[in-house]
């Protein structure tokens, strides 16, 4: 790797017109990520459109097999099928890929990284020398940023999570559909259902991903399997995890209710103290005011917000103090996608 690659890598953003792609530009600018040359890529539909980054106008190019010549870092967020086809091409051309899709997350040898949790997994990959690093599922990241420091202290034996997921998790078109449906319903009209099959405004429904033979949808299984991979657990050490994922008519930022059962006792006060010192975590836990994290608190923010830290009263006897309930909110376009991916890239600088 030459010095110019380290100091000012040539960066390509794939899927730059999308919800995550737009957030990539915001995060790269806000964090002043060093960039030698910036290439913005999307589909043929967006070719020739312009985007402003750091006050300079850039023209979007169509993604092709030749897009990655002299690119050191390629940030992908254009869907799984695009990543499957183009990430290996980019890597072969020498670009180090950080991929937001699920295409490579569970592939052996591909690191699945949350920088606050397992930065060491990205070791051995050098910027500008190819290689693919996967960004975990957004709900998984938002869960693991606060849960991992508790796990390190008291070892999570079992985790039960229920999610309340925002429209932005399904992309820019889903956000537009929620807005449109809200207007339509308020005007007494039939809501347009192009992205989701059911009315979303003033409603909620089970996550719109495929359902497997056990009755879990793929979003739920991502939270289970990706957690095991990120925590480096094998069949003998796996934490028991079950998830229920639900879409709620919130524009941006996911919420999650998480029940934890620990191997060792951990009081709510001790957990709050651990969370206070945890990287990437902010606490809003004001019982007197009934004030706890909301998606609006998390929107546009880097941290995952945690509150409702309380002892699980269903456990007693020798298990008293072995269980906690927490409620978390995180901006999944940011920490669940663009920010986490840029933090991964920063590990490589
Ligand atoms: N939304 C989230 O919170 C989130 C979180 C974590 C991971 N992800 C993952 O990130 C990826 C993008 O999600 P998103 O929410 O940003 O979706 P989105 O808003 O629908 O954006 C999709 C992007 O992909 C581009 N694209 C589509 N077909 C393409 C093609 N044939 N060639 C090149 N570019 C193409 C689109 O470009 P055009 O505008 O030109 O069509 C657009 O820039 C997905 O894999 C998703 O699972 C999303």
């Amino acid at each position: 790797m030459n010095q110019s690659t380290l100091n000012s890598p040539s960066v390509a953003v794939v899927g730059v017109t999308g919800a995550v792609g737009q957030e990539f530009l915001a995060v790269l600018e806000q964090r002043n990520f060093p960039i030698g040359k910036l290439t913005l890529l999307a589909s043929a539909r967006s070719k020739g459109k312009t985007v402003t980054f750091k006050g300079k106008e850039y023209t979007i190019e169509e993604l092709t097999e030749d897009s990655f010549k002299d690119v050191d870092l390629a940030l992908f967020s254009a869907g799984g099928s695009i990543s499957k086809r183009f990430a290996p091409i980019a890597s072969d051309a020498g670009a180090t890929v950080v991929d937001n899709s699920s295409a490579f997350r569970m592939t052996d040898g591909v690191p699945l990284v949350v920088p606050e949790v397992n930065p060491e997994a990205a070791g051995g990959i050098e910027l500008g020398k190819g290689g693919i690093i996967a960004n975990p599922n957004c709900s998984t990241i938002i869960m693991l940023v606060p849960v991992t420091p508790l796990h390190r202290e008291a070892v999570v034996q079992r985790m039960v999570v229920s999610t309340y997921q925002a429209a932005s998790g399904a992309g820019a078109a889903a956000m537009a559909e929620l807005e449109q449906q809200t207007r339509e319903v308020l005007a007494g009209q039939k809501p347009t259902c192009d992205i989701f099959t059911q009315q979303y405004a003033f409603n909620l429904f089970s996550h719109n991903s495929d359902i497997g033979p056990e009755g879990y949808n793929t979003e739920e299984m991502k939270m289970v399997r990706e957690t095991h991979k990120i925590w480096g657990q094998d069949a003998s050490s796996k934490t028991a995890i079950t998830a229920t994922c639900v879409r709620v008519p919130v524009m941006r930022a996911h919420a999650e209710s998480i029940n934890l059962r620990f191997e060792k006792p951990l009081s709510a006060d001790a957990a709050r103290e651990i969370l206070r010192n945890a990287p990437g975590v902010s606490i809003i836990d004001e019982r007197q005011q009934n004030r706890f994290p909301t998606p609006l608190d998390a929107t546009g923010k880097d941290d995952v917000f945690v509150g409702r830290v309380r002892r699980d009263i269903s456990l007693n006897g020798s298990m008293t103090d072995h269980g906690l309930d927490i409620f978390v909110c995180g901006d999944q376009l940011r920490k669940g996608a663009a920010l986490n991916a840029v933090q991964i890239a920063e590990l490589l600088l």
Side-chain angles (χ1 to χ4, degrees):
M1 184 184 357
N2 62 41
Q3 202 53 38
S4 74
T5 299
L6 264 177
N7 293 341
S8 52
S10 164
V11 177
V13 178
V14 183
V16 72
T17 51
V20 177
Q22 289 295 295
E23 202 59 34
F24 262 134
L25 295 184
V27 171
L28 288 167
E29 182 160 350
Q30 284 158 8
R31 297 177 76 85
N32 206 16
F33 189 90
I35 298 177
K37 180 174 178 248
L38 181 63
T39 306
L40 302 183
L41 301 164
S43 78
R45 293 179 288 276
S46 303
K47 184 180 173 182
K49 287 184 187 165
T50 55
V51 170
T52 303
F53 177 76
K54 286 193 171 178
K56 193 176 152 199
E57 201 167 82
Y58 289 82
T59 303
I60 297 173
E61 299 169 33
E62 180 183 353
L63 171 67
T64 70
E65 297 192 355
D66 298 323
S67 297
F68 301 98
K69 288 192 180 120
D70 300 324
V71 171
D72 301 310
L73 171 68
L75 300 168
F76 271 70
S77 67
S81 59
I82 299 293
S83 291
K84 265 193 191 121
R85 178 165 166 220
F86 287 97
I89 292 170
S91 174
D92 288 347
T96 303
V97 173
V98 182
D99 182 32
N100 259 291
S101 82
S102 58
F104 299 100
R105 288 182 191 148
M106 297 310 294
T107 304
D108 281 346
V110 172
L112 185 63
V113 178
V114 183
E116 292 86 347
V117 176
N118 62 338
E120 68 288 347
I125 293 195
E126 288 183 44
L127 206 55
K129 292 198 171 174
I132 300 173
I133 302 176
N135 202 63
N137 164 272
C138 48
S139 303
T140 310
I141 295 174
I142 288 164
M143 175 173 72
L144 293 189
V145 168
V147 170
T148 300
L150 304 177
H151 175 59
R152 288 193 182 123
E153 176 70 21
V155 187
V156 178
Q157 284 184 325
R158 182 164 190 263
M159 175 153 59
V160 181
V161 56
S162 300
T163 69
Y164 312 74
Q165 298 187 218
S168 54
M175 295 167 83
E177 182 160 298
L178 175 57
E179 195 176 326
Q180 181 183 358
Q181 282 196 4
T182 305
R183 288 183 208 286
E184 288 167 339
V185 173
L186 286 173
Q189 296 162 0
K190 192 167 175 283
T192 305
C193 296
D194 290 336
I195 306 295
F196 299 114
T197 56
Q198 307 173 67
Q199 179 177 328
Y200 192 17
F202 306 101
N203 194 17
L204 56 81
F205 45 75
S206 182
H207 193 276
N208 53 299
S209 51
D210 296 339
I211 312 252
E214 311 269 19
Y216 284 80
N217 61 48
T218 50
E219 182 82 355
E220 291 160 355
M221 291 314 297
K222 285 174 188 173
M223 295 187 80
V224 175
R225 295 190 178 120
E226 291 182 20
T227 297
H228 293 146
K229 178 166 176 175
I230 293 163
W231 280 356
Q233 297 180 324
D234 59 22
S236 63
S237 61
K238 273 181 189 172
T239 297
I241 305 168
T242 182
T244 301
C245 292
V246 173
R247 284 248 184 248
V248 296
V250 163
M251 195 53 80
R252 186 168 161 159
H254 291 348
E256 303 180 10
S257 161
I258 306 170
N259 175 264
L260 301 160
R261 197 183 68 203
F262 298 101
E263 193 178 299
K264 304 176 198 165
L266 183 65
S267 71
D269 283 345
R272 231 176 268 112
E273 196 50 35
I274 290 166
L275 291 167
R276 225 183 298 283
N277 295 311
V281 174
S282 285
I283 298 184
I284 303 177
D285 202 19
E286 297 160 23
R287 291 184 185 179
Q288 298 302 321
Q289 290 78 33
N290 205 343
R291 181 73 177 92
F292 303 108
T294 69
L296 288 181
D297 291 320
T299 293
K301 305 277 173 45
D302 288 353
D303 279 2
V304 175
F305 290 76
V306 186
R308 307 233 50 213
V309 181
R310 63 204 192 277
R311 185 174 78 79
D312 174 357
I313 56 163
S314 73
L315 297 177
N316 45 37
S318 64
M319 293 306 284
T320 306
D321 276 339
H322 283 248
L324 288 177
D325 282 293
I326 62 174
F327 186 75
V328 309
C329 289
D331 186 330
Q332 93 297 335
L333 286 178
R334 252 184 122 77
K335 184 54 193 166
L339 171 64
N340 196 73
V342 171
Q343 287 175 314
I344 291 172
E346 288 171 348
L347 293 173
L348 308 176
L349 289 172

